[in-house]
Amino acid sequence: MRSYKASSRVGGAAAAAVLLSVCAAGPASAGDRPAGSDGFTLQDPRITESSGLAASRAHPGVYWTHNDSDDGAYLYAVDGRTGKTVATLTLTGIGSPRDVEAISVGPDGDLYVGDIGDNLGGTWDHVWIYKVPEPKVLRDQTVRATQYVVKYADGPRNAEAMMVHPKTGRVYIVEKDEDGGGLYEGPDPLDSAATNVFKRVADIDLWVTDGAFSPDGRQLALRGYFGGVAYSWKNGKPTRQGQLSVPMQPQGESVTYTADGRTLLYGSEGRGSSVKPVEVAGAGGNSGGSDGSSADGGDGDGGGFTGKAGAVGAAVLLIVVLGVGRLVRRPKAK
């Protein structure tokens, strides 16, 4: 969540030249793409730490987001054409949110919210997932949520990425660790009356801040502060395909596919933050594509930065070229 901060003043031609490998590709022609495919800027002054992003299924061109940390049990529906909030949901039926980090839409049409962060380094013995039906009418309203208690089979973890598979409905969480973490699979289905134990099913070589499945469920995109990795997804298992072109942002926290699967949208924290688009190469009109060519290279050696070394390397480049001061801020204990 707040483990790594980059200056909001980063920019200019020098940065663009040095960080070409992680800059976003230019947006494709508009055509009949969903609203928001060219990116947008969050206009709501209440959204200061947008940490999760999910494309609505019920309302094309609308994107759900939320603030980081313990801001409260609020979800914001944002119009991708204007960046303005068109509805605010207040969740009831749950406890006090502690560190909300992720949001995803399931095949059941419900919104899944991951209260899964742990700034204390994985010391909380459980975290939570909340589920609410996506409203048919976009207006400010109070909705009752179902709360799920989550634990990990191998002990507490800090995490910021939670994804619901769009076909199976299975929930996955990716650990956030600067040296790389694990991909955890939840029970199917989740049980609101019991503890849901998530089991590690794969290793992920990335300091992950968010993730998203393509609409057809055949691709998984994971992002970090300075890079990302594309995976193909088959039978509940990821296969690494290559690096994602992740735009440079003040604090890159979120990612989602557009509803047509042709664009990845990357979000950042900060008041008035921008959501940046990167076209999924080779997707054409197919949802999420079939060849994983949203990555820069299919062999995993393309541009971008992954893991601890990658993040440190990117920070060094910023310091050398732009003279940026302090980039790292210690986690804020709660």
Side-chain angles (χ1 to χ4, degrees):
M1 170 193 132
R2 292 190 177 93
S3 299
Y4 203 98
K5 288 284 186 181
S7 169
S8 61
R9 296 188 295 273
V10 172
V18 173
L19 297 171
L20 182 61
S21 60
V22 291
C23 285
S29 58
D32 56 355
R33 295 176 302 156
S37 295
D38 290 328
F40 53 92
T41 298
L42 298 173
Q43 303 293 330
D44 194 329
R46 297 173 298 174
I47 306 175
T48 58
E49 291 184 304
S50 175
S51 188
L53 194 65
S56 170
R57 285 174 175 255
H59 308 283
V62 168
Y63 300 87
W64 292 96
T65 190
H66 54 81
N67 278 323
D68 204 341
S69 302
D70 52 357
D71 170 71
Y74 307 113
L75 302 179
Y76 304 95
V78 177
D79 187 338
R81 294 169 299 179
T82 64
K84 295 182 178 180
T85 298
V86 293
T88 301
L89 302 187
T90 302
L91 277 56
T92 63
I94 62 175
S96 178
R98 188 164 53 190
D99 195 350
V100 179
E101 294 286 358
I103 187 167
S104 186
V105 183
D108 52 7
D110 289 345
L111 302 174
Y112 291 73
V113 182
D115 190 356
I116 56 175
D118 186 347
N119 277 343
L120 301 180
T123 58
W124 293 327
D125 68 350
H126 69 278
V127 291
W128 301 290
I129 292 173
Y130 314 125
K131 184 177 77 169
V132 297
E134 184 172 13
K136 296 180 180 179
V137 178
L138 290 176
R139 58 179 174 79
D140 293 350
Q141 56 190 290
T142 299
V143 293
R144 186 168 186 84
T146 301
Q147 177 171 292
Y148 302 98
V149 174
V150 170
K151 289 189 176 183
Y152 301 97
D154 51 359
R157 306 282 149 173
N158 179 32
E160 294 191 5
M162 179 207 67
M163 304 80 60
V164 182
H165 194 273
K167 301 300 182 182
T168 67
R170 197 124 195 188
V171 182
Y172 296 86
I173 294 174
V174 181
E175 177 185 11
K176 181 186 180 184
D177 191 290
E178 57 188 320
D179 294 316
L183 171 70
Y184 289 81
E185 180 183 73
D188 183 23
L190 297 180
D191 187 346
S192 61
T195 297
N196 296 272
V197 179
F198 278 60
K199 298 179 180 179
R200 188 172 184 136
V201 294
D203 296 330
I204 300 296
D205 183 23
L206 182 69
W207 196 5
V208 177
T209 59
D210 201 15
F213 283 110
S214 60
D216 64 4
R218 298 170 66 181
Q219 305 292 320
L220 172 64
L222 297 178
R223 75 158 300 171
Y225 292 119
F226 292 103
V229 180
Y231 297 86
S232 64
W233 188 269
K234 187 176 182 180
N235 299 325
K237 301 293 182 182
T239 300
R240 183 183 174 115
Q241 293 185 305
Q243 310 279 44
L244 291 170
S245 293
V246 177
M248 196 63 192
Q249 294 175 304
Q251 184 172 346
E253 288 282 345
S254 60
V255 65
T256 189
Y257 280 86
T258 52
D260 61 2
R262 296 172 61 183
T263 306
L264 280 166
L265 296 176
Y266 294 92
S268 176
E269 288 194 1
R271 188 184 300 273
S273 62
S274 294
V275 175
K276 302 291 188 180
V278 178
E279 187 177 3
V280 178
N286 299 324
S287 297
S290 60
D291 60 0
S293 54
S294 56
D296 287 333
D299 58 1
D301 296 323
F305 299 92
T306 58
K308 180 179 180 180
V312 173
V316 170
L317 283 175
L318 287 171
I319 293 171
V320 171
V321 177
L322 300 175
V324 177
R326 187 179 182 185
L327 291 180
V328 179
R329 192 171 83 182
R330 293 184 180 275
K332 178 181 177 183
K334 295 180 181 177

